[in-house]
Amino acid sequence: MSFKEDVGTGLSENPKYLSSRYFYDAEGDKIFQAIMKMPEYYLTNAEFEIFSTQAEQILSELDVNGRKFDLVEFGAGDGFKTRILIERLIEAGANFRYIPIDISENVLNTLKSDFQKRFPDLEILAENAEYFEALESINRKSENPKVILFLGSSIGNFLEDRTVRFLNALYAVLNVGDFTLIGFDLKKNPKTILEAYNDKQGITKAFNLNLLKRINRELEADFDLEAFDHYPYYDPETGFAKSYIVSLKKQTVNIKGLKKQFVFDAGEAIHTEISRKYGINQIETLFENANFNVSKHFFDCKHYYVDTLAKK
Ligand code: AVI
């Protein structure tokens, strides 16, 4: 479905929702870069620490020993954390191509030109695609052994059934002996988690409300941003961090591009994002149910976050 159709569907439902995949337009990409630099958003630093200090261990688990392989990355973003892993792989003499995949063409172009400068000898095959589309096309692109990266806790943005479908689809495209390395945010003090999605500077608020701005820009709508607020919520029992946009008064919004008006009650919420937090047992069960063998968990020093390596 297109942005326009999805907005029409989501705002017509009760309760209303909008998909977090639409956060990432040019402006959203920029705000997300700022989020990753926030001290409250511990996820990026944790994964950066894991790759800075444990890349050799990751490499030794991969057991590539001079064999050529493809390092495929789903949701590559600006490659900030992958950069350090790639640096270490090159230093260790690994023989690989890099295949970054992202839904944002904008971010992918930046990544490609940055990596071409940093790693002039690295072969890069960037692909602008949605995850499930990319999974389908991956074997047409490459017959080499594969290591598929899905970092940054992006898997946490999937609902349960999508997570299961993703892991099953991943398993189906891999050959026996191939690996996947997936970043999961772990359950921890709920206050730490909530702060990561509720920074005092209002960067996450701007990120969430940019969805309304995007609808204004692309679908000629008249959302008054002052009349909506950002509401993050974390449930330590389920591990679901959820973000909402809440209407601060009863109001009607006109979306010209849809030739439709939408009524919001005072206090009515639009669900925009889920960022799931996991326990280690849940992660192991997820992989086991998809037939993967968990090779090793790589934790940061605070055990806030884990990159789990699993083998087909
Ligand atoms: C991209 N994704 C893993 C981020 C997350 O933590 O769910 C997106 C984000 N939303 C608010 N802050 C960051």
Side-chain angles (χ1 to χ4, degrees):
M1 274 217 284
S2 65
F3 177 55
K4 185 171 155 178
E5 285 167 335
D6 278 341
V7 169
T9 309
L11 294 184
S12 305
E13 284 290 325
N14 186 15
K16 293 181 169 63
Y17 68 89
L18 292 168
S19 167
S20 61
R21 62 181 289 199
Y22 296 119
F23 282 154
Y24 304 93
D25 65 346
E27 183 159 348
D29 285 342
K30 262 195 235 142
I31 309 175
F32 186 54
Q33 307 291 317
I35 287 179
M36 289 194 291
K37 294 199 179 88
M38 301 182 332
E40 296 92 334
Y41 196 71
Y42 57 83
L43 293 83
T44 313
N45 285 340
E47 196 161 54
F48 189 78
E49 182 211 301
I50 293 169
F51 291 161
S52 308
T53 59
Q54 300 177 64
E56 281 76 16
Q57 288 92 314
I58 296 174
L59 189 59
S60 82
E61 288 291 326
L62 293 178
D63 190 25
V64 278
N65 281 337
R67 273 186 309 141
K68 183 160 180 141
F69 68 98
D70 285 332
L71 188 68
V72 181
E73 180 170 18
F74 282 90
D78 70 348
F80 171 70
K81 291 149 300 183
T82 324
R83 205 165 76 200
I84 186 99
L85 186 65
I86 289 182
E87 246 166 52
R88 297 292 149 88
L89 288 172
I90 292 175
E91 276 164 24
N95 180 7
F96 65 102
R97 303 188 300 182
Y98 177 51
I99 309 183
I101 298 161
D102 205 284
I103 42 169
S104 167
E105 192 171 5
N106 182 45
V107 109
L108 207 55
N109 289 336
T110 317
L111 168 82
K112 202 175 167 189
S113 65
D114 178 38
F115 275 28
Q116 273 166 344
K117 272 186 228 124
R118 283 175 196 277
F119 312 115
D121 296 330
L122 179 65
E123 192 180 336
I124 304 173
L125 297 167
E127 185 172 338
N128 180 212
E130 199 268 335
Y131 301 135
F132 283 86
E133 272 166 36
L135 270 175
E136 274 174 27
S137 70
I138 200 94
N139 275 337
R140 273 180 258 129
K141 276 202 140 178
S142 137
E143 283 166 6
N144 292 331
K146 284 184 231 14
V147 178
I148 297 195
L149 306 175
F150 194 36
L151 308 176
S153 175
S154 296
I155 198 161
N157 297 131
F158 290 172
L159 289 169
E160 177 84 28
D161 73 317
R162 205 169 152 83
T163 311
V164 170
R165 271 196 295 127
F166 181 78
L167 288 177
N168 288 335
L170 196 60
Y171 187 84
V173 301
L174 292 178
N175 291 312
V176 174
D178 286 345
F179 286 92
T180 183
L181 182 71
I182 302 187
F184 296 87
D185 195 14
L186 296 173
K187 286 182 178 172
K188 60 185 69 62
N189 186 337
K191 290 178 187 160
T192 308
I193 292 174
L194 198 54
E195 270 175 28
Y197 295 89
N198 200 24
D199 63 287
K200 293 193 184 62
Q201 292 178 77
I203 300 176
T204 311
K205 175 178 173 175
F207 184 59
N208 199 8
L209 292 185
N210 179 52
L211 259 178
L212 303 187
K213 271 199 185 171
R214 181 170 180 183
I215 301 173
N216 281 351
R217 274 194 300 267
E218 294 183 24
L219 303 176
E220 291 180 88
D222 61 0
F223 277 103
D224 168 12
L225 298 200
E226 297 294 311
F228 290 88
D229 202 1
H230 163 62
Y231 182 73
Y233 164 81
Y234 177 64
D235 179 354
E237 212 176 298
T238 58
F240 288 178
K242 287 180 164 186
S243 287
Y244 298 90
I245 294 173
V246 176
S247 175
L248 297 177
K249 59 181 188 190
K250 185 171 172 82
Q251 53 187 320
T252 302
V253 174
N254 190 18
I255 306 187
K256 261 198 202 160
L258 286 171
K259 297 193 183 78
K260 248 180 134 174
Q261 294 197 324
F262 296 89
V263 177
F264 293 84
D265 277 333
E268 186 176 352
I270 313 169
H271 175 226
T272 55
E273 190 182 40
I274 177 162
S275 302
R276 192 166 176 190
K277 313 302 166 193
Y278 283 91
I280 281 293
N281 292 342
Q282 287 176 305
I283 295 172
E284 296 200 333
T285 306
L286 266 183
F287 279 115
E288 278 159 21
N289 289 345
N291 288 319
F292 279 101
N293 294 305
V294 171
S295 307
K296 201 165 175 177
H297 298 294
F298 298 92
F299 296 94
D300 66 307
C301 65
K302 291 183 178 156
H303 278 230
Y304 275 6
Y305 190 93
V306 67
D307 279 301
T308 298
L309 186 68
K311 189 176 187 179
K312 173 161 175 175

